[in-house]
Amino acid sequence: MTAPVLSVIIPTHNRRCLLQEMLMSLQRQTFPADQFEVVVVDDGSTDGTVEMARKMNTTYSLRVLPQEQSGPSRARNSGARIASGKLLLFLDDDLLPKNQILSAHAQVLERDPGNVVLGRLLPWGSGPRGGWNRWEERVYEKHYKAVQDNRRPPSGRRLYSGNFSIWREQFLNAGGFDETLSRGEDVELGFRLERSGCHFHFCVDAAAFHRGYRTYESWCRSAYLYGRSDVQLAVQRGYRQVLDEIFGWYDRKPQVIRLVIKTALAGGKPVQQFLLQSFRLSSAIFDQLGFEEFSHYSYSAIFNLHYWQGVADELGGRSDFQRYAHAHSGHRAGVTSQGGKRSLLRKQKREADG
């Protein structure tokens, strides 16, 4: 039996029903079933995921690799190591792939061994979901539209682990995902691949519906962790451009949003909790009344408060946050002194050295 061309790597944890639907949908792919395999890496599930997957009778080759719960990065790395295909496609377990997704990924990859293909996540749009989930869907749609229009050119910064493909040799040579990172491990891999000379391509047809709706608490927690991970990438891992990018975002925000963030950081936990509860109440009221545009603004405020709190905490606190924000704003305005720049660089170096 000849080895498959493409290996689909799916890390999973306690999503038996979603995974089962996904595995069944992969039988409808336009890519020939004898040319791809699926490697499910079960990350310590307790809901019968392994038993379900092993009992499935699929038209394609399906392998199941159980591991002790160690996180999605290790699961993806483990799947890549045992994969048989020369091409790897990483998909999250809460996706429902469109029928041409494998063909679309493979077609772009085959053009050049240095290619990395960034796929697209589509809103599922059905089933019970909160206003924060709808907010996230709108953010994703705006992001992919900007990438498609080349306003956000495909790059390592745009690599999302839930739907991307790469040559197996390139992935292994790069060292795979950094298993010590709890967030941002996909972007960090993207930066390393970029440094190694890989070419990033966004493929509209490499699409899948995203169905994994998070709880409100999980969504808030993720925003906070993304803030911390962006600073970690910049300071601890040496990707200094991330600080310029995120403080560029901050600098371009409306003044009222910056004021809300500054107030929350200056007032500490009591003020932050008051603001979060106020925005949460307003978003719930707007959701109930069907005023989705106003609800969107409230959820944006909540996400921003959590994200920038994460940034500030990782930088060392409110005063350090303000110092970075002021230095970046001054740099953009062309008024930052050379001494101020040197001071900032020295501070970054001290933090990077531990």
Side-chain angles (χ1 to χ4, degrees), residues 264-278:
L265 294 178
K269 201 159 191 175
V271 173
Q272 187 185 42
Q273 287 304 313
F274 172 77
L275 290 170
L276 286 170
Q277 289 170 7
S278 299

Side-chain angles (χ1 to χ4, degrees), residues 88-91 101 104-106 108-109 114-121 143-144 146-148 150 152-166 177 186-187 189-191 193-194 198-208:
L88 301 180
L89 169 58
F90 293 91
L91 295 176
I101 186 172
H105 273 285
V108 180
L109 284 178
N115 284 349
V116 178
V117 184
L118 312 180
R120 182 178 183 180
L121 300 183
H143 165 74
Y144 288 121
V147 176
Q148 186 176 351
N150 212 38
R152 293 180 184 172
S155 66
R157 179 61 162 160
R158 318 293 178 210
L159 192 152
Y160 298 151
S161 56
N163 180 6
F164 87 100
S165 61
I166 185 173
F177 288 97
D186 43 7
V187 174
L189 172 62
F191 285 149
L193 292 172
E194 203 164 46
C198 286
H199 321 299
F200 292 82
H201 300 267
F202 174 65
C203 183
V204 176
D205 292 331

Side-chain angles (χ1 to χ4, degrees), residues 72-86:
S73 289
R74 180 167 295 181
R76 293 186 180 100
N77 288 342
S78 298
R81 281 192 292 269
I82 70 165
S84 302
K86 65 179 182 179

Side-chain angles (χ1 to χ4, degrees), residues 55-76:
K55 289 178 181 177
M56 287 192 69
N57 183 20
T58 56
T59 55
Y60 54 82
S61 172
L62 173 61
R63 291 193 279 165
V64 183
L65 176 65
Q67 69 174 28
E68 291 186 8
Q69 188 173 0
S70 311
S73 289
R74 180 167 295 181
R76 293 186 180 100

Side-chain angles (χ1 to χ4, degrees), residues 134-150:
R134 292 192 294 273
W135 176 89
E136 198 166 43
E137 288 175 342
R138 288 181 61 174
V139 169
Y140 273 128
E141 282 298 284
K142 286 177 64 177
H143 165 74
Y144 288 121
K145 183 69 166 61
V147 176
Q148 186 176 351
D149 295 344
N150 212 38

Side-chain angles (χ1 to χ4, degrees), residues 331-348:
H331 176 71
R332 282 173 58 84
V335 299
T336 302
S337 69
Q338 289 300 319
K341 290 179 183 177
R342 287 193 294 270
S343 176
L344 177 61
L345 290 172
R346 284 197 299 269
K347 183 179 188 335
Q348 290 176 337

